[in-house]
Amino acid sequence: MPSSTGLPNRVIPVLALAAFVLVWLLNLGVVQPNRIVAGTGYGLFDATGWFGAGTVSSLLLVVVVLATKPIRNRFWVLSFLLTAALMSLPLLLEVFALRKLPADSAYARIGIGAGFWCLAFFLALMLLETLSQLKASRRVQLSVVLLVAAGWWLCAAREGLSSLSLIREYANRADQFSQALTVHLSLSLGAVAISAVLAFGLALAMVRRERLRRPLLGLVSFMQTIPSLALFGLLIAPLGALSAAFPALQALGIRGIGWAPALLALIAYSLLPMVRNTYVALMEVPEAVVDAGRGMGMSERQVFLQVKLPVALPVIIEGVRITTIQAIGLTAVAALIGAGGFGTFIFQGLGQAAMDLVLLGALPTVCLALAADAILSALKFQETPR
Amino acid sequence: MIELKGVTRRFGEAVAVDNIDLTIETGEVCVLVGSSGCGKSTTLRMINRLLPRTSGQILVDGEDINKADPEALRLNMGYAIQSTGLFPHWTVARNIGVVPTLLKWPAQKRDERVTELLALLGLDPETDARKYPHQLSGGQAQRVGVARALAGDPNILLMDEPFGALDAITRESLQQEMLRIQRQLNKTTVFVTHDIDEALKLASRIAVMDQGRIIQHDTPEAILRRPASAFVENLIGKGDRGLKLLALRTVSGLMERHPEPRHPEPVTDSLNESDSLRIALSLMLWNNTEKLPVLDASGAEVGIVNREQLLKVGA
C-alpha cells in the first residue's frame, strides 16, 4: 500500500527548479573595488566555475529526482542533503572570492548577490517542506536550525571569507556590534517586560470593571495608530523639558533623546497586543469551568491562580510573542533618536550608501525576531493541553 | 437534611424563586423538575451559595448556611453540572483530586481516592487517569464530572442537569450508574433536570417546579397517581402514565417466588430480578405469554411473574 511519503512530492521539485533557474539567471556575487562603489556582478558559472556551478546544479537535480521517486527514507536523505547544503553554502562565496577578488587591492571586497540569497531561501523552503513531511519534532527542527547556524558561523570565521563585505563591515565594528546587541536586546525585552506588567494590571482592571474596557482599549489602540517615527519624535520635547527641570532625571540618563524616549515609545506600542490578548484570554475562560471551580469550594484567589490564569496562559503568551517580535523590529527605528541598537548600522549604512552595513544591522534584527518567535512559540506549545 | 423555608430569589424585578418551602431528608434523592426558567437551577445554586437568596432561610442539618464560610460549605457539597466544567489544563486524575487537594488530604490518600472513584465510575485508572478532558467522550467527561463531585466524600451532592447534554444511550447508562452508586453511598442528593423520565427513575421524591414555585413535592408513584394540577399531569404525560408506573417497580417485588431456586427451562425469554415491570409487560406482549420466569444474577430461576397480577399494579 502506498503511504503518503511514497507519493511524488510536488512542492520540492517546483522549489528546486525555481532555485535552479534563479541561481543561473541572477548574479551570485559582486566584486566591489571599495565599500561604496557599485561593483561588477558575476553569474553562477563566472563566479564559481565548472566545479561550483556543477555542484549546485547537480544538487538541485538530485533533489528533484529524490522528491519524485518512491524511494524509502527519501525524506530523511533529503533533509540530510539540504541541511548539509545550507550549512556549507557560504563556501560558494569563498570559491568566488578565491577566483575573482583582485589580489592587489586592499579595499576590494565581495558582496552577496541576489542569486545567492535566492538559493539560500529556496534551500531553506525545501528543508522546511521535508521536515514537515517527516513530521519532525520540535527538537529535530531546532537541531537543524542550530546546525545551519553553526555551519555559517564556522564559514564566516574562515580566512577565505574575510574579504566578504558583510564581514569586513563587522570586523570594523566588532565592539559596536556587541554593544548594539546588548542595547537592542535590553531595550526591546525591557519594553516587553514593563508593558507585560502594565498590560496585566490593565487587563485585570478591565475584567473587574466592565466600564473601563472601552476607554482603556481605546487609549492603547490610539497609541498604536501614531506612526512610530512620530511617536519617537514627539517624546523628545517633553522628556527634554523634564530632564532640564529635574537634574536627578538627567543623572539617570533620561534625556529628550537616547534610551528613555525609545523605551517609552516601545512600551506604548507594546500595550495594545498585550492588553488585548490578556483581556480576551481571561474573558474567554469558559464560564462553566469557573462555576465548577467556585462550586467545588475554591476561593476567588484559587479560582484565579489555579483555573483562570493557567487556562488563559497560552493566549497571553501569544500576546507576548507578537509584542516581542514587534518590539525587536521597532527598536531598529529607535536608533533614529539615538537609542542605539542594530538600527544604528542600518541608518549609517543608508546614509553612506553602504548596503552591506545596512545588512549588518538588518540581519541580526531578523535573527533576534525569529529566535524570540521560536522560543515563545515553544513556550506556548508547552502550556497548551494536548 | 436540607431545609428551605420561605426562600425567595429575585433578579431585579423578576422573581426566579418565589417563597418556596422544601425539606430534603438525609440520604434521599430529591429531583427538582420543571421547564427551563422555572427556578430549579436557581434553587440548587442557592443551596451552595453560588447565588445569594433574597429572603428566607436555608438550613443544612439545622444550621443556617449563611453562618458557615461559603468555601467550607461547598467543600462538603459535591457539585456536578451539565457542561462538566472540567479544568481543561489538568489531567483527569488531577481534576478528580481537586476537592481532596483543597481539603489538604495527604497525597497518598488523595491518589487512592482518585483510583477508587475512577473504578467506581467505570473508568480505567491506568489509561484514563492521565488523559486530558478534551480527549474524553461526552459520557466519559460526565463520569469524571460525577467522580470529581464525589471525591471529597461530601454529605450532600448537588447535580445540575448532569446528563442533559448526553445522547440517550449514554444518559441511560449513566442513570443506571447513578442508581447503583446511590444505593452504595446514600448521599443526600439534589438533582435538577427537565426530563420527567429521568426524575421518575432517579428520585426518592420529586419536586415539580413552575414559575418559581413548587407545585407538587412527593414520591414518583404519588406524582403519577395523584398529579396535583393540570400542569403536573401534562408534565408526566397523561397517556402513558400507566406504563411509567410499571417502570417504577421491579419484578422482584411482584414475582411468585419459588421455594427453591431451580434450573431454568430453556424458554425463549426470561426476566432478571432487577428488570422493571414495564419490561416484563413488554416481553409478555412480545411473546404473547401469560407467565415469564425470573432469573437471579447467577442464572437460576427464582420465581415467576404472571400477567394477571402485573396488570393489577396500575389500579
Side-chain angles (χ1 to χ4, degrees), chain A residues 220-292:
Chain A
V220 294
S221 307
F222 167 71
M223 290 198 280
Q224 192 88 6
T225 61
I226 309 173
S228 55
L229 266 179
L231 187 54
F232 285 129
L234 281 174
L235 283 168
I236 294 178
L239 276 178
L242 268 181
S243 154
F246 301 98
L249 289 180
Q250 210 158 10
L252 282 171
I254 295 175
R255 280 172 294 133
I257 56 167
W259 64 265
L263 189 67
L264 278 181
L266 287 172
I267 292 171
Y269 278 115
S270 304
L271 280 177
L272 176 64
M274 211 87 101
V275 169
R276 195 182 41 204
N277 270 55
T278 311
Y279 175 72
V280 169
L282 288 174
M283 289 306 281
E284 285 192 347
V285 175
E287 191 52 45
V289 171
V290 176
D291 184 56

Side-chain angles (χ1 to χ4, degrees), chain A residues 321 325 368-378:
Chain A
R321 187 183 71 89
I325 294 169
L368 282 184
L370 288 177
D373 179 38
I375 292 169
L376 289 165
S377 297

Side-chain angles (χ1 to χ4, degrees), chain B residues 126-202:
Chain B
E126 287 295 310
T127 55
D128 291 333
R130 282 193 294 271
K131 284 185 183 162
Y132 282 89
H134 70 97
Q135 296 168 305
L136 304 173
S137 68
Q140 284 176 319
Q142 202 48 263
R143 282 165 197 268
V144 175
V146 174
R148 184 170 72 167
L150 291 169
D153 202 9
N155 291 330
I156 292 170
L157 265 185
L158 304 179
M159 309 185 96
D160 194 351
E161 302 208 31
F163 312 140
L166 302 175
D167 62 85
I169 296 170
T170 314
R171 189 184 324 145
E172 169 82 26
S173 85
L174 268 162
Q175 287 165 353
Q176 293 297 346
E177 303 275 303
M178 264 300 289
L179 284 173
R180 180 174 60 82
I181 292 167
Q182 180 57 17
R183 273 198 297 272
Q184 224 171 319
L185 304 178
N186 262 322
K187 301 282 183 202
T188 309
T189 305
V190 185
F191 190 106
V192 163
T193 182
H194 61 262
D195 175 358
I196 185 69
D197 291 311
E198 186 167 73
L200 290 169
K201 187 168 194 176
L202 298 178

Side-chain angles (χ1 to χ4, degrees), chain A residues 285-303 305-312 383-386, chain B residues 45 48 50 70-72 74-75 77-79 81 83-90 94-95 98-99 102 104 132 134-135 148-149:
Chain A
V285 175
E287 191 52 45
V289 171
V290 176
D291 184 56
R294 282 196 194 116
M296 279 183 306
M298 286 184 162
S299 64
E300 280 310 305
R301 190 189 159 82
Q302 285 165 330
V303 167
L305 290 178
Q306 296 184 29
V307 181
K308 279 191 180 179
L309 198 56
V311 171
E383 292 297 331
T384 312
R386 306 176 283 286
Chain B
R45 291 166 65 84
N48 66 359
L50 280 175
E71 276 104 42
R74 291 172 197 152
L75 285 171
M77 293 184 176
Y79 185 54
I81 54 180
S83 43
T84 75
L86 294 182
F87 301 151
H89 58 302
W90 285 359
R94 199 164 168 202
N95 261 294
V98 170
V99 175
L102 290 172
K104 301 200 168 63
Y132 282 89
H134 70 97
Q135 296 168 305
R148 184 170 72 167

Side-chain angles (χ1 to χ4, degrees), chain A residues 290-355:
Chain A
V290 176
D291 184 56
R294 282 196 194 116
M296 279 183 306
M298 286 184 162
S299 64
E300 280 310 305
R301 190 189 159 82
Q302 285 165 330
V303 167
F304 184 79
L305 290 178
Q306 296 184 29
V307 181
K308 279 191 180 179
L309 198 56
V311 171
L313 203 56
V315 182
I316 296 178
I317 294 176
E318 175 65 11
V320 176
R321 187 183 71 89
I322 297 169
T323 312
T324 311
I325 294 169
Q326 176 188 291
I328 288 173
L330 269 179
T331 305
V333 183
L336 270 185
I337 51 166
F342 288 124
T344 319
F345 299 145
I346 298 177
F347 291 114
Q348 274 179 14
L350 285 172
Q352 301 168 5
M355 283 308 132

